[in-house]
Amino acid sequence: MAHEEQSGFTFVDKRSVTQDPTDSPTSKTSGLEPTQGTTQELEDMPQDADYADEPLSEAGHDAIPRLNVRDRLLMCIDILNQGAWISLGLISDPSTGKIEADLSQAKVAIDSVAFLTDRVESELDDETRRELRSLVRDLHLNFVRQSSH
């Protein structure tokens, strides 16, 4: 079969930027050379630039939208919520497929969800606030149930 190139994607191999592959810290551990660019390119980059406002590619793709702190906290709450359920042993760990309880880890995750919920509540609409309170309450109840087994 003939290899077809996809439009909008360009592969740039920058592995040959170092003259001595043993000078690279990554080449000593993994056999790979750095792909960040040449030393001169890195020195030419402004040190105080805010790169979050720039598009990730120059191929005309939209940039990832900038998230405010509230949205980031909600993302953290979601991640910790999933971790709490996994640590409670009530859902399987996606990385292993196994169900294993670790109540000390569950407690940390649940306490973190509760703390972050308290921090973000003032910026939420009533429905979202109720959902988060219900989420924290469910986690606490299930922790008590799992602790009594």
Side-chain angles (χ1 to χ4, degrees), residues 30-122:
S30 66
L32 300 175
E33 294 182 18
T35 58
Q36 289 82 12
T38 64
T39 304
Q40 185 61 42
E41 288 173 335
L42 293 173
E43 288 173 359
D44 291 342
M45 295 174 79
Q47 298 300 314
D48 59 346
D50 183 11
Y51 294 103
D53 291 334
E54 294 181 15
L56 293 179
S57 72
E58 296 176 14
H61 299 289
D62 293 333
I64 296 173
R66 185 171 220 160
L67 297 174
N68 59 32
V69 173
R70 183 198 65 167
D71 293 337
R72 291 174 193 265
L73 288 174
L74 290 173
M75 291 171 64
C76 290
I77 289 169
D78 187 49
I79 292 167
L80 290 165
N81 176 47
Q82 284 293 326
W85 288 105
I86 292 168
S87 295
L88 285 169
L90 297 174
I91 63 172
S92 63
D93 185 336
S95 64
T96 63
K98 297 179 182 178
I99 294 179
E100 298 173 319
D102 184 343
L103 295 181
S104 64
Q105 290 291 303
K107 182 174 180 5
V108 171
I110 293 167
D111 290 346
S112 299
V113 168
F115 174 78
L116 291 175
T117 297
D118 287 342
R119 297 293 297 189
V120 77
E121 268 187 336
S122 64

Side-chain angles (χ1 to χ4, degrees), residues 2-56:
H3 174 70
E4 293 182 23
E5 228 176 281
Q6 296 177 347
S7 63
F9 180 78
T10 304
F11 178 76
V12 178
D13 186 358
K14 293 186 178 182
R15 290 181 290 179
S16 61
V17 294
T18 58
Q19 294 178 0
D20 183 5
T22 58
D23 289 342
S24 168
T26 55
S27 66
K28 292 177 185 173
T29 58
S30 66
L32 300 175
E33 294 182 18
T35 58
Q36 289 82 12
T38 64
T39 304
Q40 185 61 42
E41 288 173 335
L42 293 173
E43 288 173 359
D44 291 342
M45 295 174 79
Q47 298 300 314
D48 59 346
D50 183 11
Y51 294 103
D53 291 334
E54 294 181 15
L56 293 179

